[in-house]
Amino acid sequence: MSGSRQPRVVIIGCGFGGLEAARALRSADVAITLVDRTNHHLFQPLLYQVATAGLSAPAIAAPVRHLFRTQPNVTTLLAEVVAVDPVARTVRLAGGATLVYDHLIVAAGATHSYFGHDAWAPFAPGLKTLADAFEIRRRLLYAFEAAEQETDAAARAAWLTFVVIGGGPTGVEMAGTMAEIARHTLRGEFRHIDPAAAQILLLEGGERVLPAMPPRLSASARRQLEQLGVQVRTGTRVTAIDAHRVEVQPAAGAPPQRIASRCVLWAAGVQGSPLGRQLAHAAGAEVDRAGRLVVEPDLSLPGHPEITVIGDLAAAQSHLPGHAPRPVPGVSPAAKQMGRSAAANLMRRLAGEPTIAFRYRDWGNLATIGRNSAVVDLWTPWRRVGFSGWFAWVFWLFAHIYFLIGFRNRLVVLIDWASAYWSKQRYARVVTGMAPGTTDD
Amino acid sequence: MSGSRQPRVVIIGCGFGGLEAARALRSADVAITLVDRTNHHLFQPLLYQVATAGLSAPAIAAPVRHLFRTQPNVTTLLAEVVAVDPVARTVRLAGGATLVYDHLIVAAGATHSYFGHDAWAPFAPGLKTLADAFEIRRRLLYAFEAAEQETDAAARAAWLTFVVIGGGPTGVEMAGTMAEIARHTLRGEFRHIDPAAAQILLLEGGERVLPAMPPRLSASARRQLEQLGVQVRTGTRVTAIDAHRVEVQPAAGAPPQRIASRCVLWAAGVQGSPLGRQLAHAAGAEVDRAGRLVVEPDLSLPGHPEITVIGDLAAAQSHLPGHAPRPVPGVSPAAKQMGRSAAANLMRRLAGEPTIAFRYRDWGNLATIGRNSAVVDLWTPWRRVGFSGWFAWVFWLFAHIYFLIGFRNRLVVLIDWASAYWSKQRYARVVTGMAPGTTDD
């Protein structure tokens, strides 16, 4: 490669957006450096399955290097980006090394937001990375083990009370799956407790779960959750969390209630990666309340056409001709589309052509709830179709398996799910160093 | 269960020995408590595959609780045993709880032995638990990532030098698999290094690898390793290890040599779990040089017929009539047979019958080396058969898959291996928080 003459493209982050951008530049005469702090691309829509012991990590994670082994213009770099210097056009890595870029695509994604209550984080982990998933799996499975050994009734009840905070897709999936684990997976395995007696609470501050869906489907999702044994509490705001309880405000003005629980999961909010704020500060750009970078219609950073921001870190608008701009949701199809748009606009700039405003093609939303239950809100070119129950679940299943990267993984996921479906068992009920104060060797 | 009248049996450890003992007591009128500090039974013969990213952890680990859900006389307890009191007949758990027993089966297994050089442990991890396997996987894969980013030639060479210490089955398997990863798995994935240029060294203090095998098969194993690109150095004693190098004594009296390496694995020695020494001290029993409890012919602790020691923690002898007692090797078939013997003798004691001395039925040894290469030393009732190469590899493959616990896992392992075989890829190349100073969220 005549690396010296080729434009240097740096892509930060190998989620759906970064991956798609790098792939779309496959035939471009550029030298791409793809930087990620992990060695794998994560299929995040199925991360909750790893957290709930349904899938092993490798089933939803593909080594980035391997994905690009046949694309010679991509160099994969395992490193953490600590800062971008938009003036010097360099990216600084943990350890001190720097990368020089001519074009920068920032796809650093999002992390959890505790809405100013970061002290809650240790008591209510969120679900963004494999490490998060393992920690949640550990807490989830350990709670039943601790309950089995607990002799005090109240303490045991607290171990058997699981609270999921946030009624979006992740919260709904987590709560529904946890109910199945308690009702089905663990049946007959304990001698002192009945896992089916576990309480699973789903707390949502708004008026309904899955707010992105039409009200009819939200109501259906709630019914399906309740059939699985999940207690759904909408209009309930969390006011405090510690190692032993969650304090909630059931309604405005109502007295706070305390829910004794030893396993609390956070699915309530996300915010842009800290890199967004650093870049905004350095480039004189703007972040919104969720810490996402406000971008131009073509997803470039204002005043910096050589920097494009995509995925969950971008506060982007969709510009359909004849319509007012609509905010783009933080979902993987949007990230992929932004990745393709970033690559296309980059090639236009290289060819001296004007860039094109981003248009988000919304196919709708899916959310699974549990065995045989899901909701689908499909936006076809003709009309918007909503359905739920078994057919929606099968639709969800195959949509996700189809989009899983790499046939190999798809096959494994299919087998894991088929066996889980028939046996009501879960494959990955394995934790290392499980009990507090336990060592593994 | 009328637990009060039933004899209370406590089994410490859920490896091959403890698992087999609990299962063999399936129809006994006893109340069994099975204590383990992890929630899974580990199929240790395939642990090296998890360490080398060939298998995911759930493929070789089965939740203990689930294995005994249909055996009502077993209560599974996730806890770490800190001490046994053979006088009070109690087992003390981390956290302070105690278990009272009438009969105790100690199957606490073994851990690594650095022969008095415990300071080497952080630089040369051993392979006993899933946590060990993940750490080794992380070091192995990260070494190539670091080499890709390293500009200094000598430092890069150190990252690409892998040292396996110990020429037993584990060391041979690790070295052979690492050679395959370097030669095949990573081909074409790096831009600045050639993974195939990596050096894999297997150091053995004795005169040949696989000393438990006949010399002919040791020689064949060595040839097969060298064909895979492993440098085998026998008669080589390790005198020092730190973060950057291994110091070896090539021969008695020869000057020490230094091998610059950033990834060193320990497969040289094991010793009985620390619980063995505690129990020996408390019961006035004896441990051998390897920290294993010296037991009676029926595997009971001298002076304590109610305590039986099995598996890697027992310095046991096999008593075949007409033969001198032979020491029992620390292999999984031996642990299983000791588990069955412990259960049978326990039932004899309950029936007031005399116990029977343990007899080890040795079926021989297998060791795999890599793709299409293995050695098999089979002891048939008629004659001893040794063979190597492709057929030995297939024999090893099916023997291991057959003994994997649970059809479900077997199927997944088969698929993983089939796809690995054809694609020369490895399924589980996934690590969390890989780069030093990297966080996952």
Side-chain angles (χ1 to χ4, degrees):
Chain A
M1 293 196 306
S2 56
S4 54
R5 272 189 279 87
Q6 282 179 315
R8 293 157 298 186
V9 178
V10 170
I11 301 176
I12 300 173
C14 194
F16 286 106
L19 191 70
E20 200 71 15
R23 289 181 155 179
L25 291 168
R26 163 177 295 278
S27 53
D29 182 24
V30 294
I32 303 165
T33 303
L34 181 52
V35 192
D36 198 286
R37 60 186 167 189
T38 73
N39 76 329
H40 52 272
H41 167 76
L42 189 62
F43 190 80
Q44 225 151 10
L46 290 181
L47 189 58
Y48 83 98
Q49 286 272 2
V50 175
T52 54
L55 290 176
S56 72
I60 63 160
V64 178
R65 258 186 206 297
H66 186 64
L67 296 173
F68 289 101
R69 71 196 180 287
T70 58
Q71 190 175 330
N73 67 351
V74 170
T75 300
T76 307
L77 207 60
L78 175 74
E80 178 154 37
V81 171
V82 290
V84 173
D85 182 339
V87 180
R89 296 194 174 178
T90 57
V91 172
R92 198 165 84 249
L93 307 178
T98 62
L99 303 169
V100 183
Y101 65 83
D102 302 306
H103 303 268
L104 178 67
I105 297 177
V106 184
T111 178
H112 324 295
S113 167
Y114 290 88
F115 306 124
H117 299 282
D118 290 354
W120 295 353
F123 312 120
L127 183 61
K128 271 278 164 201
T129 68
L130 281 178
D132 296 338
F134 291 141
E135 175 59 17
I136 288 172
R137 185 194 290 180
R138 193 186 65 75
R139 293 184 186 213
L140 181 59
L141 295 178
Y142 182 68
F144 289 98
E145 298 292 338
E148 172 83 346
Q149 296 179 40
E150 179 58 65
T151 51
D152 174 70
R156 178 185 292 174
W159 279 116
L160 291 176
T161 302
F162 300 86
V163 178
V164 179
I165 300 169
T170 301
V172 166
E173 287 163 350
M174 287 297 298
T177 312
M178 286 161 68
E180 288 191 331
I181 290 173
R183 305 277 178 284
H184 301 298
T185 308
L186 301 179
R187 176 176 294 153
E189 296 191 10
F190 291 83
R191 304 291 178 244
H192 305 305
I193 61 165
D194 173 13
Q199 290 197 35
I200 291 94
L201 280 70
L202 178 60
L203 309 183
E204 164 59 38
E207 284 320 305
R208 56 194 182 95
V209 298
L210 303 179
M213 296 256 183
R216 183 174 64 81
L217 292 179
S218 292
S220 167
R222 180 180 189 135
R223 269 196 311 279
Q224 296 180 63
L225 280 166
E226 287 166 347
Q227 279 160 15
L228 285 168
V230 177
Q231 300 175 40
V232 181
R233 299 191 188 173
T234 50
T236 300
R237 296 188 54 258
V238 171
T239 52
I241 308 175
D242 66 24
H244 288 77
R245 66 189 58 74
V246 179
E247 194 178 82
V248 298
Q249 184 101 44
Q257 288 178 2
R258 292 189 147 194
I259 303 165
S261 168
R262 301 297 298 268
C263 186
V264 182
L265 308 181
W266 186 261
V270 297
Q271 60 183 345
S273 149
L275 190 66
R277 287 196 167 77
Q278 183 274 325
L279 179 54
H281 181 267
E286 206 188 322
V287 293
D288 68 2
R289 269 176 41 260
R292 301 177 306 165
L293 285 158
V294 177
V295 293
E296 301 284 357
D298 66 356
L299 305 179
S300 66
L301 204 61
H304 288 277
E306 76 284 5
I307 299 178
T308 309
V309 186
I310 62 175
D312 290 352
L313 186 52
Q317 305 275 326
S318 176
H319 300 266
L320 283 170
H323 295 68
R326 280 186 37 244
V328 179
V331 295
S332 50
K336 285 182 174 181
Q337 292 176 35
M338 287 192 247
R340 286 192 288 272
S341 161
N345 277 335
L346 196 158
M347 289 190 278
R348 288 190 190 95
R349 273 199 292 275
L350 294 177
E353 299 165 8
T355 59
I356 290 178
F358 175 66
R359 301 175 181 185
Y360 173 47
R361 173 71 172 95
D362 191 346
W363 295 96
N365 295 299
L366 315 178
T368 183
I369 294 155
R371 195 178 171 72
N372 299 338
S373 48
V375 286
V376 173
D377 173 27
L378 210 56
W379 296 32
T380 73
W382 309 279
R383 54 185 292 269
R384 187 167 172 176
V385 188
F387 52 102
S388 57
W390 183 82
F391 183 64
W393 178 73
V394 171
F395 186 93
W396 173 89
L397 195 74
F398 284 97
H400 279 69
I401 287 170
Y402 175 79
F403 284 114
L404 252 188
I405 287 179
F407 163 76
R408 175 70 191 67
N409 288 4
R410 276 182 218 159
L411 179 65
V412 167
V413 170
L414 250 180
I415 290 164
D416 287 347
W417 279 347
S419 90
Y421 184 80
W422 297 123
S423 68
K424 296 192 176 179
Q425 261 311 310
R426 299 186 71 77
Y427 172 45
R429 282 172 51 194
V430 174
V431 190
T432 60
M434 191 157 181
T438 296
T439 57
D440 273 78
D441 55 303
Chain B
M1 290 197 308
S2 57
S4 55
R5 272 190 280 87
Q6 283 178 314
R8 293 156 298 186
V9 177
V10 171
I11 301 176
I12 300 174
C14 194
F16 286 106
L19 191 70
E20 200 70 15
R23 289 181 156 178
L25 291 168
R26 161 177 296 278
S27 51
D29 182 24
V30 295
I32 303 165
T33 303
L34 181 53
V35 191
D36 198 287
R37 61 186 168 190
T38 73
N39 76 329
H40 52 272
H41 167 77
L42 189 61
F43 190 81
Q44 225 151 11
L46 290 181
L47 189 58
Y48 83 98
Q49 286 272 1
V50 174
T52 54
L55 290 175
S56 72
I60 64 161
V64 178
R65 257 186 207 297
H66 186 64
L67 296 173
F68 289 101
R69 71 194 180 289
T70 56
Q71 190 174 330
N73 67 351
V74 170
T75 299
T76 306
L77 207 60
L78 175 75
E80 177 154 36
V81 171
V82 290
V84 172
D85 182 339
V87 180
R89 296 193 173 178
T90 56
V91 172
R92 198 165 86 251
L93 307 177
T98 61
L99 303 170
V100 182
Y101 65 82
D102 302 306
H103 302 268
L104 179 66
I105 297 176
V106 184
T111 178
H112 324 295
S113 168
Y114 290 88
F115 306 124
H117 299 283
D118 290 353
W120 296 353
F123 312 120
L127 185 61
K128 272 277 165 203
T129 68
L130 282 178
D132 295 338
F134 291 142
E135 175 59 18
I136 288 173
R137 185 195 289 179
R138 192 187 66 75
R139 293 184 186 212
L140 182 58
L141 295 177
Y142 182 68
F144 289 97
E145 299 291 337
E148 172 82 347
Q149 296 178 40
E150 180 57 66
T151 50
D152 174 70
R156 178 186 291 175
W159 279 117
L160 290 177
T161 302
F162 300 86
V163 178
V164 179
I165 300 169
T170 301
V172 166
E173 286 162 351
M174 288 296 298
T177 313
M178 287 160 67
E180 288 190 332
I181 290 173
R183 305 278 178 282
H184 301 297
T185 309
L186 300 179
R187 175 176 294 154
E189 296 191 9
F190 291 82
R191 304 292 179 245
H192 305 305
I193 61 165
D194 173 13
Q199 290 198 34
I200 291 94
L201 280 69
L202 178 61
L203 309 183
E204 163 60 37
E207 283 320 305
R208 55 195 183 95
V209 297
L210 302 178
M213 296 255 184
R216 183 175 63 81
L217 293 178
S218 293
S220 166
R222 181 182 188 131
R223 269 195 311 277
Q224 295 181 62
L225 280 165
E226 287 167 346
Q227 278 159 16
L228 285 168
V230 176
Q231 299 175 39
V232 181
R233 299 192 188 172
T234 51
T236 300
R237 298 190 52 261
V238 172
T239 52
I241 308 175
D242 67 23
H244 289 76
R245 67 189 56 75
V246 177
E247 194 179 83
V248 298
Q249 184 101 44
Q257 289 179 0
R258 293 189 146 196
I259 304 165
S261 168
R262 301 299 298 270
C263 186
V264 182
L265 308 181
W266 186 262
V270 297
Q271 61 184 343
S273 150
L275 190 65
R277 287 196 167 77
Q278 183 275 324
L279 179 53
H281 182 268
E286 209 189 318
V287 294
D288 69 2
R289 271 177 40 259
R292 300 176 307 164
L293 285 156
V294 177
V295 293
E296 302 284 357
D298 67 357
L299 305 180
S300 65
L301 204 61
H304 287 277
E306 77 283 5
I307 299 179
T308 309
V309 186
I310 62 176
D312 290 353
L313 186 53
Q317 305 274 328
S318 177
H319 299 266
L320 283 170
H323 294 66
R326 280 186 37 243
V328 179
V331 296
S332 51
K336 286 181 175 182
Q337 292 177 35
M338 287 192 246
R340 284 192 290 271
S341 161
N345 277 335
L346 197 158
M347 289 190 279
R348 288 190 190 96
R349 273 197 294 273
L350 294 177
E353 299 164 7
T355 58
I356 292 179
F358 175 66
R359 301 176 181 184
Y360 173 48
R361 173 72 172 96
D362 191 346
W363 295 96
N365 295 299
L366 314 178
T368 183
I369 295 155
R371 193 179 173 72
N372 298 340
S373 47
V375 286
V376 173
D377 174 27
L378 210 56
W379 297 29
T380 73
W382 309 277
R383 53 187 292 269
R384 186 166 172 178
V385 188
F387 52 102
S388 56
W390 184 82
F391 184 64
W393 180 74
V394 171
F395 185 93
W396 174 89
L397 196 74
F398 284 98
H400 279 68
I401 287 170
Y402 175 79
F403 284 114
L404 252 188
I405 286 179
F407 165 76
R408 174 71 191 68
N409 288 5
R410 277 183 216 159
L411 178 66
V412 167
V413 171
L414 251 181
I415 290 165
D416 287 348
W417 279 347
S419 90
Y421 185 79
W422 296 123
S423 69
K424 296 191 175 177
Q425 262 311 310
R426 299 186 72 77
Y427 173 45
R429 282 171 51 193
V430 174
V431 189
T432 60
M434 191 157 181
T438 297
T439 57
D440 271 83
D441 53 301

